[in-house]
Amino acid sequence: MKRISILFVCMGNICRSPLAEGILRQLVAEAGLTGHFTVDSAGTGGWHEGEPPDRRSIATAKSHGIDISGQRARRIRPSDLSDFDLILAMDRQNLAALGKSARPGANIHLFGEIALRTGEDIPDPYYGGPEGFELVYTRLLAGCSSLLETLGVERASCSGNTSSVR
C-alpha cells in the first residue's frame, strides 16, 4: 500500500495547521494506521519559523488529549508542493498563495472543500480568545475524521490509490 502524505497549511503555522496535524496524527494512531500516513504542517509565511505552536493551540489540543507542543513552525518549501500527495489550505487566502507557486495540477485544495465538504474557510483564531481555538478544533476534528474515513474507505477498496482526493 502506498503511503499517503498530507500537508496542512495556514499563514504562520502556529494556530490552525499545527492543530490539524496533531488531530490527524492522533486519529491515524487510534486507527492503527501510523505506518500508512505522513502528516505535517507548514505556513505560507515565515514569521514564526522554529517556534512552537501558539500557546492557545497547545492548550486546546492538550484539553483533548493531544500533545502538539513538540511541533515547530516552518514555512512551506517548494519541494512540499511536489512531495505531498495532498495539501490542504485552511482558507482561501492561503490557497491563493499556494497556487501562485504551485506547478499545474498540484494537489492543493481548501480544507473546507475536501475534508468538510462545505467549502468554508477555517477561521484564524489568532486575534481572539480560547473559544475561537475551540471552534477551530471542532471544525478540524470533524474534517480530519471525515478525511480519514474517506481515505480509509478508498484504501480498502482501491489498494492505496488516492486519485479521488486529487
Side-chain angles (χ1 to χ4, degrees):
M1 179 181 117
K2 181 184 180 294
R3 187 176 184 89
I4 300 169
S5 57
I6 300 171
L7 180 68
F8 296 105
V9 180
C10 66
M11 190 162 295
N13 192 214
I14 60 168
C15 295
R16 297 169 287 176
S17 57
L19 270 174
E21 176 186 345
I23 290 167
L24 188 60
R25 283 182 186 266
Q26 181 74 21
L27 292 173
V28 164
E30 289 172 358
L33 298 171
T34 303
H36 300 291
F37 285 85
T38 298
V39 181
D40 200 358
S41 63
T44 55
W47 313 279
H48 302 286
E49 282 188 279
E51 296 177 16
D54 185 286
R55 61 179 171 70
R56 297 163 295 175
S57 285
I58 292 172
T60 299
K62 185 176 181 179
S63 74
H64 294 281
I66 300 171
D67 182 9
I68 63 169
S69 63
Q71 292 183 30
R72 293 295 175 263
R74 70 175 185 88
R75 187 174 192 166
I76 193 156
R77 299 179 288 258
S79 60
D80 290 333
L81 300 173
S82 59
D83 290 348
F84 283 87
D85 296 319
L86 180 61
I87 300 172
L88 296 174
M90 293 293 123
D91 59 41
R92 283 171 179 77
Q93 181 180 357
N94 288 294
L95 182 65
L98 290 168
K100 287 178 184 175
S101 55
R103 66 185 177 1
N107 198 15
I108 302 169
H109 300 278
L110 185 66
F111 180 89
E113 288 177 358
I114 296 294
L116 292 169
R117 294 192 166 101
T118 62
E120 69 189 82
D121 283 351
I122 300 298
D124 188 349
Y126 185 76
Y127 292 105
E131 64 283 345
F133 283 82
E134 188 61 35
L135 172 67
V136 165
Y137 176 87
T138 300
R139 300 308 298 143
L140 292 173
L141 177 61
C144 287
S145 297
S146 175
L147 181 64
L148 184 59
E149 184 177 302
T150 299
L151 293 172
V153 167
E154 180 176 10
R155 201 183 74 257
S157 63
C158 299
S159 302
N161 179 350
T162 58
S163 61
S164 72
V165 294
R166 290 188 179 260

